[in-house]
Amino acid sequence: MRTTVVAVVMVMLCVMMVDADTKPQREFSLQRFAGTWYRVGLAYDSERFVPFRDKLKVSQGLVTALPNGNVNLTMWDATPLGCQKKTYHYEKTNVAGQFTYFSTRHNMVKDITVVDTNYSEYAVVLKHKVYNREYTQVALYGRTQTVRIDVINKFKAFALSQGFPREAILTPPPAENCPAARSG
Ligand SMILES: *[C@@H]1O[C@H](CO)[C@@H](O)[C@H](O)[C@H]1NC(C)=O
Ligand SMILES: *[C@@H]1O[C@H](CO)[C@@H](O)[C@H](O)[C@H]1NC(C)=O
């Protein structure tokens, strides 16, 4: 009986600690967050992703704020197969800065939290599975293809604090011509 109570209290403490670390940006403003971002950092500790780590390039994203508070995101990823454009739809939750989306790749609902942003320079975004709250990715976005070294270092420290090993924390080089520059 006693051990059960202790176990429950410990589980609750763990949940609270995780929550404390991953609260969304205070007074998150989607209007200010909209526009172009570059994914300049990625912490992703998936076995299947290991062979792709050194092929990763900076991706470009366009965040469109919809009138109902949801988000359309267009991403351009430079891959060995060329520049690939993908669109995503994120639905707002009752917590500002937190969104859910349906991952067709993993066939489940996941959620996304904008943990920290100053809108004009950088954003740290957490992506995780809703139900077990297992963190799968932390991304650093910049308004430009390169960001200040102290912003990078803060991102790395945050990813380490979330349990990512150093080799899973990537800061890829810029992409070339992705999306392709308009000609004519
Ligand atoms: C958002 O995405 C949906 C689905 O892809 C699309 O139908 C809609 O036109 C988009 N809205 C805007 C404002 O881009
Ligand atoms: C927020 O962004 C601006 C650049 O627009 C930068 O000068 C400032 O130092 C940033 N603030 C923090 C806390 O990093």
Side-chain angles (χ1 to χ4, degrees):
M1 183 66 189
R2 218 192 135 120
T3 44
T4 314
V5 172
V6 171
V8 167
V9 168
M10 280 176 63
V11 167
M12 283 173 65
L13 276 176
C14 288
V15 169
M16 279 157 61
M17 277 160 62
V18 167
D19 269 0
D21 270 10
T22 57
K23 280 209 188 89
Q25 171 65 47
R26 282 172 70 182
E27 295 169 40
F28 176 78
S29 160
L30 182 55
Q31 298 311 317
R32 293 178 68 197
F33 191 70
T36 295
W37 287 100
Y38 296 89
R39 193 182 65 192
V40 296
L42 179 68
Y44 188 29
D45 191 20
S46 157
E47 275 302 312
R48 284 189 308 174
F49 187 66
V50 172
F52 303 100
R53 279 177 182 167
D54 61 352
K55 296 179 182 67
L56 189 70
K57 297 277 175 15
V58 169
S59 298
Q60 184 175 323
L62 177 66
V63 172
T64 306
L66 305 178
N68 62 3
N70 292 346
V71 169
N72 279 3
L73 171 69
T74 307
M75 289 289 289
W76 289 267
D77 296 311
T79 76
L81 300 173
C83 187
Q84 301 200 326
K85 179 182 167 181
K86 290 191 199 127
T87 58
Y88 304 87
H89 185 74
Y90 296 122
E91 295 193 357
K92 67 167 181 190
T93 64
N94 52 18
V95 180
Q98 206 160 65
F99 302 87
T100 59
Y101 73 104
F102 185 76
S103 165
T104 47
R105 196 150 65 99
H106 297 119
N107 201 35
M108 63 167 87
V109 175
K110 296 191 175 190
D111 69 19
I112 282 232
T113 305
V114 180
V115 180
D116 184 14
T117 184
N118 85 348
Y119 304 102
S120 58
E121 188 183 20
Y122 70 89
V124 176
V125 177
L126 260 181
K127 209 190 245 192
H128 38 80
K129 298 171 186 173
V130 165
Y131 296 109
N132 56 13
R133 309 203 64 84
E134 176 192 328
Y135 303 119
T136 54
Q137 280 186 22
V138 183
L140 174 67
Y141 287 86
R143 286 294 192 185
T144 50
Q145 285 231 28
T146 52
V147 296
R148 286 186 291 125
I149 189 70
D150 52 319
V151 173
I152 297 272
N153 288 341
K154 215 173 120 186
F155 160 70
K156 286 184 175 171
F158 177 72
L160 284 171
S161 80
Q162 295 295 311
F164 287 90
R166 239 166 241 286
E167 63 274 18
I169 305 171
L170 312 168
T171 51
E176 275 163 35
N177 210 29
C178 180
R182 281 169 199 240
S183 56

